[in-house]
Amino acid sequence: DLSTEDESVNRIASMMCTMEHEACVSPACESKVMQTLAAAAAKGHTDADLCAKAVGKLSGFHGYTTSKEYLRDLVVFLVSSWGKKESDELTLVQFPCHLFGYQSNREFFNSSVDQIVPYLVFERDTAAIESVAGLLERPTPELLRETLPSS
């Protein structure tokens, strides 16, 4: 039914506008909104292009020239909260990096590996470290040597 479809589109548009507004006026809500947008896109609950558009608006509002720059400041929070709910069942390599202007997960992880791997080591998430190493086609020990400070 066309009216049901219109109502659904209107609800999604209203939700996106509200989330964008909250992220702009509340620093406490900003990272949660980004987390919600990423999860909604990854799970297919919301059109990924709409989420990417919202991310672009938010990055501009906060003074970033690109969404990639914006992600750089939020990546540790987003990685730390990604797939943490038992109902999520999302792996780190399923992170919707395209929302932030990346063409592939490989490009995303290459650009953020120096932030992501140390966090994963701190969390002792061996499976995620191995997933990242596999995605980047690098041996895990080599990846760890390159991203962790040596003593």
Side-chain angles (χ1 to χ4, degrees):
D1 178 327
L2 190 56
S3 65
T4 304
E5 186 177 324
D6 285 346
E7 184 178 335
S8 176
V9 169
N10 287 338
R11 284 183 184 185
I12 291 170
S14 296
M15 176 194 65
M16 296 296 276
C17 287
T18 301
M19 289 173 62
E20 287 174 26
H21 175 74
E22 287 302 312
C24 290
V25 299
S26 171
C29 293
E30 176 188 359
S31 52
K32 290 290 190 180
V33 166
M34 298 306 290
Q35 175 188 13
T36 302
L37 289 171
K43 294 178 183 179
H45 295 312
T46 305
D47 182 64
D49 291 337
L50 284 176
C51 292
K53 188 175 180 181
V55 168
K57 285 182 184 179
L58 292 172
S59 63
F61 176 83
H62 290 291
Y64 296 91
T65 55
T66 68
S67 296
K68 289 179 183 180
E69 288 176 13
Y70 188 39
L71 178 61
R72 249 343 241 172
D73 286 345
L74 296 172
V75 72
V76 172
F77 171 79
L78 292 173
V79 166
S80 71
S81 61
W82 189 251
K84 293 299 181 192
K85 296 178 187 171
E86 291 179 23
S87 61
D88 280 352
E89 297 180 12
L90 295 169
T91 65
L92 189 56
V93 294
Q94 291 173 303
F95 183 78
C97 57
H98 57 281
L99 299 181
F100 298 90
Y102 290 95
Q103 298 302 312
S104 68
N105 281 11
R106 185 182 178 113
E107 178 189 4
F108 163 64
F109 283 109
N110 266 328
S111 73
S112 303
V113 72
D114 59 321
Q115 291 178 288
I116 294 172
V117 171
Y119 171 77
L120 295 174
V121 168
F122 176 77
E123 288 293 312
R124 295 186 170 118
D125 192 342
T126 308
I129 295 167
E130 290 173 357
S131 292
V132 171
L135 184 71
L136 297 176
E137 298 176 354
R138 292 161 70 184
T140 302
E142 176 186 310
L143 182 66
L144 292 170
R145 273 192 307 276
E146 291 174 2
T147 57
L148 297 175
S150 58
S151 53

